[in-house]
Amino acid sequence: MTTQFRGVIPPVVTPLTASGEVDKASFVRSINRMIDAGVDGLFTLGSSGEVAFSTDARRREIIETVMNAVDGRVPVLVGCIDTETNRVIEHAKAAEELGASAIVATCPFYALGGMEEVERHFRLIHDAVPDLPLFAYDIPVCVHTKLPGDLLVRLGKDGVLAGVKDSSNDDVAFRFLADDNAKAGHPLTLLTGQEVVVDGAYMAGADGSVPGLANVEADGYVRMWNAAETGDWDAVRKEQDRLSALMRIVTVPQDVAGFGAGVGAFKTAMALLGVIDTNQMPDPVLPLKDENVKRIAAVLRECGMELARTPDEVSASTEF
Amino acid sequence: MTTQFRGVIPPVVTPLTASGEVDKASFVRSINRMIDAGVDGLFTLGSSGEVAFSTDARRREIIETVMNAVDGRVPVLVGCIDTETNRVIEHAKAAEELGASAIVATCPFYALGGMEEVERHFRLIHDAVPDLPLFAYDIPVCVHTKLPGDLLVRLGKDGVLAGVKDSSNDDVAFRFLADDNAKAGHPLTLLTGQEVVVDGAYMAGADGSVPGLANVEADGYVRMWNAAETGDWDAVRKEQDRLSALMRIVTVPQDVAGFGAGVGAFKTAMALLGVIDTNQMPDPVLPLKDENVKRIAAVLRECGMELARTPDEVSASTEF
Amino acid sequence: MTTQFRGVIPPVVTPLTASGEVDKASFVRSINRMIDAGVDGLFTLGSSGEVAFSTDARRREIIETVMNAVDGRVPVLVGCIDTETNRVIEHAKAAEELGASAIVATCPFYALGGMEEVERHFRLIHDAVPDLPLFAYDIPVCVHTKLPGDLLVRLGKDGVLAGVKDSSNDDVAFRFLADDNAKAGHPLTLLTGQEVVVDGAYMAGADGSVPGLANVEADGYVRMWNAAETGDWDAVRKEQDRLSALMRIVTVPQDVAGFGAGVGAFKTAMALLGVIDTNQMPDPVLPLKDENVKRIAAVLRECGMELARTPDEVSASTEF
Amino acid sequence: MTTQFRGVIPPVVTPLTASGEVDKASFVRSINRMIDAGVDGLFTLGSSGEVAFSTDARRREIIETVMNAVDGRVPVLVGCIDTETNRVIEHAKAAEELGASAIVATCPFYALGGMEEVERHFRLIHDAVPDLPLFAYDIPVCVHTKLPGDLLVRLGKDGVLAGVKDSSNDDVAFRFLADDNAKAGHPLTLLTGQEVVVDGAYMAGADGSVPGLANVEADGYVRMWNAAETGDWDAVRKEQDRLSALMRIVTVPQDVAGFGAGVGAFKTAMALLGVIDTNQMPDPVLPLKDENVKRIAAVLRECGMELARTPDEVSASTEF
């Protein structure tokens, strides 16, 4: 069942208009561009899809927009991210109703607890939407809990989890997870959320990747995956080197941290490339401006990408 | 405007039936018991009020139940806890519509950001519900950000914040905040979320307290506040000593951590005292059972409290 | 045996010459000033005594200087701070040889381990210097482990620990520790390392305090202790308020953090007051200069303290 | 100058006798075994070489034993690990005197500070032993500071640092560091401290590795390095798979954490293989026993390694 989720499955950035509404035209352009590049699926309402910033109505609007734009061409994973079980289950049911191919949920956050509760959380979600493949989203930087490999493999063997989206930045744990999963008969589809050490994740046995940077440039990630599939590790490495250089768009912004720098840089690059209309960010985050936009433009040019708009035009795109 | 929020304002625990529904009869009993003890206000949908576990419909049900039970006898603060600004604003508007006296919001969580965004977050919430006093909820153990004192005082002076509910467990920062607030003309009402060092917070100048333990025994906290108001520090200390001994109900449970131990112990004690019918917990948390219930009963007895039910009865209260 | 360690026991700041040597004349002046103020003991080679920065030879020089200056007038506790057991034991034996009244040791740091090793660590130290009272130094901000109260009380009852120097900034844990220690027959002398919430610690039952700020002003801490001993809590509170205002010297420095701001501010204030000759800091830390010295001078003046030297003179004191 | 430090440079585990003395015969056997396997250098007094547990006299004894055993066959890096600058410089001078090929130092720990002090720390160390290549040891799990890539490259370009021993487990930062170092003309020799994602580090451009597991089995790491040098990534991957399976010796011990589990497992495996006589650990850490030794033996057997001694014999090796 889970083999449909192999390969490159970008987490879709949510384009906004200058006034903060979902920019559907830009959204369709961005999605078509990634599908045309050959991605194997899309993941909407991930952390970089601004799930945490979106009201329930907004989440529904985003899912509908993505489902309409994709129109069955690739599977769509939907993030069901919320603090605790019952809130997640509500999102899961909405995702199912709207046609999600699979859902992605983190462990509980905000309230403190233990691993018994984490396990029960995933079991309860699966019980609520038993027909929908469930991916565990391992993202300790946001939820402050690392999902243990033995728990994940056990939930995979029990049919609770279909896979793992690993954004833990713990490559040792990922390697051990991949080994344990292989030993257990590969119940879990393992997707790395990395951008710049995807080569290592593929060598470790990842079934695919979920790179936010693919919103900016999907072709390279598709080529890297194809090279990994054929064992052409020199080609893998070469693509990774180029994409690592491109990923510097997230490290060049000054005086801004976290989501505003990371997704802010993705949106800014996409706006500079003409894929989306503005680099607007959801409240309370402000869009990148001026020097930070210029720094990102410089990285894009160094990587040989052609800009459709000037930095000043992009800085002005949210001036309303 | 904010002076109505002085004194003892317990964060209301949400009683559940064995099947996990809101237990309205128990809720009314518990609220009446605290109001009869002389508390100065109530805080619903705080962390211990299981806000993070409750769907939007459940949150609305809880607010309505509390407002009906209180019926204007004391002010009611309502927690509007969610990941980012727009989601919090939705909760704030619902709270306003349902008659909240004030709202309480944390800084953003899940996504990473900086202090500029924290400040903008509180300003945007205040802009959305300008007539509702807004308390900042400083609870780094849940949201992984400590609110800086200078930011809080600035937002107080600007009329954005009416007060602070301090659950930071950083008493040095609280002391400095109290001093800075006093120097600034006392724009902020400062409430400590502590249970066992409330005496120190009062000496530091707190305007009141929000002790979860008051769900178990409000009288002592009311007496302690009255003693502090009259400068009878020996009486303050004596009450604190007794309440600290009672607070041990949260440290005696074995093999359970965080919310399940803390709020689990409050509910278990309340069930043993006959205030509420079950010690049921919200998914994915399990209620305390057997030995842990007995340990809590032992603490209550050591503190001279009379049990209305046996530990076995309480353990059985969630067995359907 | 441990009752000799009650009251105010300042952690002694180590004055340096402009070239970084131990400034013995300043050291003697500072020590005499504190003893004249009525302190009950001194703690040398604590965190603020720059133990981590001092070579073994330097540590020996500091102990000798302090022992000579004190000359038996008050007990002297000596910090034996190092990564693991055998290194700590070497320091403990040196301290014993040099006449320490007691020693103070943290749990192991640098290498990762568990509580079984922490307990064994303290037992092995005590076995190595059985005649020397041993204080556990609970300072998680430096060693990244919090000492659990039950472990401390057990080691107290077993005669391994004579007391605890609590710099954990966890006042809830301290309150519970004080209660457990009282229940166990008070085997441990409990000293708080706080400066601005010492009033709360005294209400919780602390046997004394180890405030770094007493290097700047010991009189207030002595008066506060005496007031606490007689139960005059209004006087305690008044002294604490004044000392909290004075403690702002550590929060006003800009662009410097941690030891450089904290002990840097103590030394700068002491130099401004004429107690020591320079505000020199140990490598790699730089002394506070210019605007930061002026900010500290302003706080001292606001607190009504008379400066013996100008900020420019102090800034120039390390210009060699 | 630094090119002599490429390839596989194991951090040497320090064998102890049952009574806790340095076991020189075992030490010589272990070192010869690694050199015979073809390692390119050795790193003594690293974290796994029990530097934090060793007194200064013990450190000197270890260096001398290693230098004598190696006798110039490969370069020897010496760890100079201590809390702050002046203590590190003492170790550095001792290492120089005893013939170290290079030294390895962490940033300051215990006292809190900022990056300005970290930079000054490395500059002062280099000034004190200017002729000795200096490696920065990036090990935030022990020192609680992550060394920023731009700082490292700047210190490399300025001739302060000869290289970096990266034990940060942050492979994204390592990839960016490798890219920046290449752009800057490769001033730094970059060694990864990983064991199970060394393949990824080599693809990212690492100049070598410092795997503790090479104490148990160096041949595989030598083959992996040689394969990486010739671009035979399939062979790299195959070796890594086998070594990852072997690394499970550190995850199988129960009820023990950190150094006791990690280095404890290395020593236990080495004792089972007959390389060293006991699996004794430095105080306060206890050696692995009984079931834990059996679990490690099982992993070794699964990996096709032949045991020279039974688990019971190894468990008994420290029974004195």
Side-chain angles (χ1 to χ4, degrees), chain A:
Chain A
M1 165 188 282
T2 68
T3 51
Q4 60 178 315
F5 303 113
R6 298 187 79 237
V8 179
I9 303 176
V12 183
V13 163
T14 299
L16 301 180
T17 65
S19 60
E21 299 305 308
V22 174
D23 178 350
K24 292 184 187 176
S26 291
F27 219 152
V28 169
R29 270 201 309 276
S30 172
I31 286 172
N32 281 342
R33 182 168 171 260
M34 289 191 276
I35 294 178
D36 291 349
V39 302
D40 302 286
L42 291 171
F43 171 34
T44 189
L45 288 175
S47 303
S48 53
E50 52 206 61
V51 66
F53 298 88
S54 302
T55 63
D56 286 6
R58 170 64 61 91
R59 291 186 186 200
R60 181 173 281 267
E61 183 185 4
I62 290 171
I63 300 173
E64 286 173 340
T65 303
V66 172
M67 299 311 295
N68 287 337
V70 170
D71 197 23
R73 287 178 287 172
V74 296
V76 177
L77 290 77
V78 175
C80 298
I81 314 294
D82 216 318
T83 45
E84 299 282 345
T85 311
N86 289 337
R87 294 182 66 83
V88 174
I89 286 174
E90 277 203 345
H91 299 302
K93 288 183 171 165
E96 184 169 49
E97 176 205 328
L98 296 171
S101 312
I103 57 168
V104 185
T106 70
C107 71
F109 55 95
Y110 188 84
L112 303 181
M115 278 304 146
E116 193 182 7
E117 289 147 5
V118 170
E119 178 159 353
R120 198 159 175 261
H121 172 76
F122 285 116
R123 291 187 183 276
L124 289 166
I125 296 169
H126 176 65
D127 290 348
V129 286
D131 298 330
L132 211 48
L134 171 60
F135 280 70
Y137 195 168
D138 193 16
I139 186 161
V141 74
C142 291
V143 302
H144 304 277
T145 300
K146 173 80 184 82
L147 296 176
D150 57 349
L151 170 65
L152 293 170
V153 173
R154 183 168 63 249
L155 291 173
K157 287 197 288 193
D158 289 357
V160 172
L161 291 182
V164 177
K165 197 269 190 181
D166 180 77
S167 296
S168 70
N169 203 22
D170 184 337
D171 293 334
V172 171
F174 186 76
R175 162 74 72 161
F176 283 148
L177 172 61
D179 292 349
D180 288 342
N181 190 46
K183 263 195 191 172
H186 212 104
L188 296 167
T189 296
L190 300 181
L191 305 175
T192 178
Q194 297 282 14
E195 270 100 3
V196 308
V197 291
V198 177
D199 52 355
Y202 286 164
M203 288 195 94
D207 298 301
S209 59
V210 187
L213 187 62
N215 286 274
V216 179
E217 215 252 49
D219 306 83
Y221 283 105
V222 171
R223 283 193 301 266
M224 178 162 44
W225 172 249
N226 291 338
E229 285 280 88
T230 61
D232 183 354
W233 296 106
D234 267 325
V236 167
R237 199 184 180 201
K238 208 165 296 171
E239 293 293 346
Q240 182 64 85
D241 277 348
R242 207 177 61 84
L243 292 164
S244 297
L246 183 58
M247 187 65 181
R248 291 307 178 94
I249 56 172
V250 310
T251 64
V252 290
Q254 303 289 305
D255 297 322
V256 54
F259 186 86
V263 174
F266 291 160
K267 285 194 172 183
T268 300
M270 293 163 79
L272 286 164
L273 295 170
V275 181
I276 63 176
D277 284 354
T278 84
N279 65 342
Q280 187 59 282
M281 298 292 282
D283 283 332
V285 184
L286 292 170
L288 297 177
K289 291 273 181 195
D290 304 329
E291 280 312 304
N292 281 335
V293 176
K294 286 177 188 162
R295 286 186 188 102
I296 289 168
V299 173
L300 295 177
R301 279 193 216 100
E302 275 173 44
C303 292
M305 300 187 86
E306 201 170 331
L307 305 194
R309 283 196 290 171
T310 67
D312 285 348
E313 284 167 343
V314 169
S315 284
S317 72
T318 57
E319 295 285 11
F320 306 101

Side-chain angles (χ1 to χ4, degrees), chain D residues 281-295:
Chain D
M281 298 291 284
D283 282 332
V285 184
L286 292 169
L288 298 177
K289 290 273 182 195
D290 304 329
E291 281 311 304
N292 281 334
V293 175
K294 286 177 187 162
R295 287 188 188 101

